[in-house]
Amino acid sequence: MTCMPDVSVPVSAPSATPRIPPSTWAVVLAACTGQFLVVLDVAVVNVALPSMRADLGLSAAALQWVVNAYSIAFAGFMLLGGRAADIYGRKLMFLVGLGLFTAASLAGGLAQEGWQLLAARGVQGLGAAVLAPATLTILTAAVPEGPARTKAIGTWMAVGAGGGAAGGLVGGVLTDALSWRWVLLINVPIGALVLVAAALRITEGRAGDRRRIDLLGAVLVTAGLAAVAYGIVQTEAEGWAAATLVPLLAGVALLAAFVAVEARTAVPLIPLRVFSVRAVSSANVSMLLMGSATFSMWYFMTVYAQNVLGYTPLQAGLALMPTSAAVVIGAKIGPRLMVRTGAKSLAVAGVLITAAGFGWQSTMGVDGSYLTAIMFPGILMMAGAGLASTPLAALATSGAAPGDAGLVSGLINTSRTMGGALGLAVLSTVAAARTGGSGDAAEITAGYAMAFRTASGVLLAGAVVMLLWLPNHRSPRPPAEVPAKV
């Protein structure tokens, strides 16, 4: 998955030399390490996927669930995790989330069957959803507002961006030098050390709101997404038989139940009223469409590099480093360009650049060169995504009422991740339908190329949606610092 920006935390520019007390650095380090593990684990498994498949005998359909089990659980429970941290305590939720994440990493690294790995990845995603919101709230609670907090959040931002960018390289090194199991097992000693440090140094804090949390809503939306994604994947093997229709219809029913629960519960996970604001609804739909294409890019590119071009895991990780750098650079220059062009114009331009990259990538062949089959198309795809994501997130948050700013910030990240999970299911099915079960390199490449062409079409449709739906009258100023997420 790509490293993408999260503009949910505007930070004022420093007015003096920022200083963080030495005693506070331990808290900052623990929070940043937790964030690094969450972001790293989205990306680190990609280059290990072929090795996982060979060792555990995973099918092509099951392989994508190594990615989707994590991302669906992460997206479905992310808003709940942030709410739980406010109610039950940020330190407690940090420890619970990191404990789940670490234990699931151990279970996944020791898995002997495919289902064990997939179950572990799902629990990892749940742990990440609890852990990730707590990392930033712990950091901001520990550092007083002003220059010191700006520096601390800048450190948190850099660590998140570094985790996303380094994921492919770290995964390649561990898989080549040790085995695929170490892309998960590496989390165990780090997680254990951070757990001890956090228990000793972090002080408890909560928002003081003891209202109940919407656990039912989180379970319904997560189960609904998983069922729909499973049904989509089943269409290739089963066609439109009961094995496909039952999970699809069940998923739709669960999502409908989620909407009904959110409309009636006193404290909903996602208050439906926020979607009545044009900027919020249009930006979230646009982000979902963009995420559905860009998320899958990493999956197909790493598998293509290893299974077709014959790259080792380390070579595949190195090959995608320029692509990782491109999204970070795009996200960093996006706020400056947005001031000049306006949010809507930059979002549309970024998506069109990304669509051009996907179109170029769809010309891939079995003997493709690194420059034209991986590097330059990858740079276009991810630079455009970096440019587009900042204005989309800024539009969504600027359209929210002051009391809903935090909710909408989390929602835009959830939309991107949910779109990515469903997009991977759809595009993997498109690729498999074109390949027809053949193991021939030319057929496999043709399937991947079809997936990239389909994604390019989705992005072009997204650009049309943005032109017609995103508001023209909003040109929100970007924040001075933009924390990065995967």
Side-chain angles (χ1 to χ4, degrees):
M1 179 189 267
T2 179
C3 176
M4 302 288 279
D6 170 9
V7 296
S8 61
V9 187
V11 183
S12 58
S15 57
T17 301
R19 292 179 60 85
I20 298 176
S23 60
T24 305
W25 269 113
V27 177
V28 174
L29 179 62
C32 288
T33 304
Q35 174 69 1
F36 181 83
L37 290 176
V38 168
V39 174
L40 180 74
D41 234 67
V42 179
V44 75
V45 300
N46 281 310
V47 296
L49 290 173
S51 299
M52 291 176 176
R53 181 179 183 181
D55 192 20
L56 298 180
L58 294 170
S59 66
L63 192 64
Q64 66 178 278
W65 283 97
V66 177
V67 179
N68 263 356
Y70 183 96
S71 59
I72 288 176
F74 187 24
F77 288 99
M78 190 187 305
L79 295 176
L80 186 73
R83 186 86 179 109
D86 287 338
I87 295 175
Y88 298 117
R90 292 146 194 171
K91 176 180 178 178
L92 176 61
M93 289 299 101
F94 182 91
L95 295 175
V96 169
L98 184 56
L100 275 175
F101 185 88
T102 303
S105 297
L106 177 62
L110 298 178
Q112 300 300 311
E113 301 287 343
W115 69 266
Q116 296 171 350
L117 175 61
L118 300 184
R121 287 288 287 169
V123 177
Q124 261 193 321
L126 174 59
V130 175
L131 174 61
T135 61
L136 186 59
T137 54
I138 283 173
L139 185 147
T140 54
V143 183
E145 187 173 358
R149 183 180 291 181
T150 298
K151 182 177 181 180
I153 293 179
T155 303
W156 181 88
M157 173 191 69
V159 165
L169 179 59
V170 172
V173 169
L174 291 173
T175 304
D176 262 1
L178 298 169
S179 81
W180 67 263
R181 296 181 182 278
W182 280 95
V183 303
L184 300 173
L185 292 176
I186 192 65
N187 296 327
V188 178
I190 299 173
L193 287 173
V194 176
L195 275 170
V196 173
L200 294 175
R201 301 305 298 268
I202 295 176
T203 57
E204 187 56 279
R206 58 173 60 91
D209 188 345
R210 300 298 295 177
R211 291 181 297 173
R212 66 184 180 86
I213 59 175
D214 184 17
L215 179 60
L216 178 59
V219 171
L220 286 173
V221 71
T222 304
L225 281 171
V228 169
Y230 179 78
I232 292 170
V233 173
Q234 286 293 98
T235 58
E236 168 57 21
E238 304 291 341
W240 293 100
T244 297
L245 293 175
V246 169
L248 277 176
L249 293 175
V252 171
L254 287 168
L255 292 175
F258 166 72
V259 173
V261 167
E262 298 308 282
R264 294 172 182 239
T265 188
V267 188
L269 185 67
I270 305 175
L272 300 182
R273 59 181 166 73
V274 301
F275 293 109
S276 65
V277 180
R278 179 181 174 185
V280 175
S281 56
S282 60
N284 274 278
V285 170
S286 300
M287 186 68 88
L288 186 144
L289 290 172
M290 189 177 74
S292 71
T294 56
F295 181 89
S296 64
M297 187 280 298
W298 300 95
Y299 175 86
F300 287 115
M301 291 293 279
T302 52
V303 177
Y304 168 67
Q306 293 181 66
N307 288 355
V308 177
L309 300 184
Y311 288 21
T312 66
L314 176 57
Q315 289 172 333
L318 289 170
L320 291 172
M321 286 300 289
T323 306
S324 299
V327 70
V328 175
I329 293 170
K332 292 298 287 183
I333 66 175
R336 296 183 181 90
L337 293 176
M338 191 167 69
V339 174
R340 300 178 182 177
T341 65
K344 178 176 179 177
S345 297
L346 183 60
V348 172
V351 168
L352 290 176
I353 291 170
T354 302
F358 273 82
W360 186 352
Q361 189 62 57
S362 72
T363 64
M364 62 208 296
V366 293
D367 298 316
S369 70
Y370 169 64
L371 292 179
T372 58
I374 293 181
M375 180 176 166
F376 289 136
I379 289 174
L380 270 184
M381 285 186 276
M382 289 298 103
L387 288 172
S389 56
T390 297
L392 286 177
L395 276 169
T397 53
S398 70
D404 293 330
L407 165 72
V408 173
S409 299
L411 185 60
I412 199 76
N413 290 314
T414 300
S415 295
R416 179 177 59 229
T417 309
M418 286 182 173
L422 293 177
L424 179 58
V426 171
L427 294 175
S428 294
T429 303
V430 168
R434 173 62 181 82
T435 302
S438 172
D440 180 70
E443 291 298 317
I444 292 173
T445 303
Y448 295 162
M450 179 64 74
F452 278 104
R453 280 194 292 274
T454 304
S456 182
V458 170
L459 289 165
L460 291 174
V464 173
V465 168
M466 292 178 195
L467 281 171
L468 297 177
W469 197 5
L470 287 176
N472 287 308
H473 63 283
R474 292 188 183 273
S475 295
R477 288 186 61 82
E481 296 287 351
V482 184
K485 280 189 178 180
V486 165

